[in-house]
Amino acid sequence: LDAMNRSSPKSPMADIRVRKAMNHAINRDAIVAGLVGEGSKKIASACSPIQFGCETDVTEYDYDPAEAKRLLAEAGYPNGFTVEMGAYRDRLLAEAMINDLAAVGIKINFNMMQNSALGARRMEGSMPLAYLTHGSSSIADVSAITPEFFGLGKQDYAGEKEIAALLSAAGSTIDVAQRKEKYSAAFKLIADRAYWVPLWTYPSTVATSQELNFKATSDELVRFYDMSWN
């Protein structure tokens, strides 16, 4: 969400009430259950729950289209607004979110594009809203994802020095307690200020033989040295 007017002189999403409205507008439970599928979980933080440092005790925004409309009206958008959204995968999921946003008055000009093109638009600051996924290179630590989007770099659409400082401090120490404390504070601020609409985790499906001794891991890495034939 463009919370710092990178894409236009007056981005509606620079208003926290609009960002909260967008969080309330999307029925993530229904999308997870009906479209993403078994093994997926709705998330409230800007990280994966399996990653070290991912604080999950944060502000959550329940699906509440009436509250979304109220917040939009309070922010000066009683009839909603129109905004461009880019995506590079999962058109069906993107369209489900677009329908939810349209129901509260937020009309989306949808742009399905290659990941490289979407990344370039984001880096230059010209894509106000994007549906993204991030595998974090299977690294189970939030340092592999969150600083990329909240570290004041080219993909940062929040521009929060306080959050960036917390992430930098957490990433600059090997003290476990300090890392957890700093990361927790950062994720709570991200959620409180609704800089993202965290969506869901993706399920991982593995097919194997009954003759193989194999246990799938949450990081999706295949460790052949742990396998054996029964």
Side-chain angles (χ1 to χ4, degrees):
L1 310 182
D2 183 6
M4 56 183 295
N5 296 313
R6 285 186 62 179
S7 60
S8 64
K10 188 178 183 300
S11 167
M13 293 170 289
D15 191 312
I16 188 172
R17 293 167 295 187
V18 171
R19 300 196 300 273
K20 288 182 176 181
M22 296 177 78
N23 272 270
H24 282 302
I26 296 175
N27 192 346
R28 288 166 289 177
D29 285 315
I31 295 173
V32 164
L35 295 176
V36 188
E38 185 177 351
S40 172
K41 293 182 179 180
K42 182 180 72 172
I43 57 175
S45 294
C47 51
S48 171
I50 71 166
Q51 292 179 307
F52 174 88
C54 185
E55 176 61 78
T56 57
D57 183 17
V58 299
T59 299
E60 296 192 40
Y61 301 90
D62 295 332
Y63 174 58
D64 191 340
E67 175 65 4
K69 290 179 180 179
R70 187 194 70 78
L71 286 165
L72 287 172
E74 185 180 297
Y77 300 96
N79 299 315
F81 57 88
T82 300
V83 64
E84 180 185 13
M85 183 176 89
Y88 71 95
R89 59 176 287 177
D90 299 332
R91 176 184 286 272
L92 189 63
L93 304 183
E95 290 177 345
M97 290 187 283
I98 289 169
N99 288 337
D100 284 344
L101 291 168
V104 301
I106 301 173
K107 295 170 279 295
I108 300 295
N109 288 332
F110 185 45
N111 193 341
M112 193 77 184
M113 55 206 307
Q114 293 293 322
N115 188 27
S116 57
L118 178 57
R121 288 281 307 276
R122 280 187 48 77
M123 296 283 271
E124 70 185 20
S126 65
M127 180 58 73
L129 178 62
Y131 167 38
L132 304 173
T133 62
H134 199 287
S136 303
S137 301
S138 292
I139 297 172
D141 192 295
V142 296
S143 62
I145 174 174
T146 316
E148 184 171 347
F149 298 98
F150 293 95
L152 305 181
K154 290 185 177 180
Q155 293 212 72
D156 189 342
Y157 275 66
E160 274 278 5
K161 293 182 179 179
E162 182 179 6
I163 293 173
L166 286 167
L167 295 174
S168 178
S172 301
T173 179
I174 59 172
D175 185 291
V176 172
Q178 286 190 36
R179 294 192 76 213
K180 286 184 176 180
E181 178 186 353
K182 301 296 184 184
Y183 280 136
S184 175
F187 285 114
K188 286 179 182 293
L189 286 176
I190 292 169
D192 287 345
R193 298 169 186 175
Y195 285 127
W196 269 18
V197 182
L199 298 171
W200 45 73
T201 61
Y202 278 83
S204 176
T205 303
V206 178
T208 185
S209 168
Q210 292 182 350
E211 298 176 357
L212 184 67
N213 180 20
F214 167 74
K215 184 178 180 180
T217 57
S218 59
D219 61 11
E220 302 179 17
L221 294 176
V222 179
R223 295 170 172 84
F224 291 101
Y225 56 81
D226 274 345
M227 301 181 194
S228 61
W229 294 108
N230 293 322

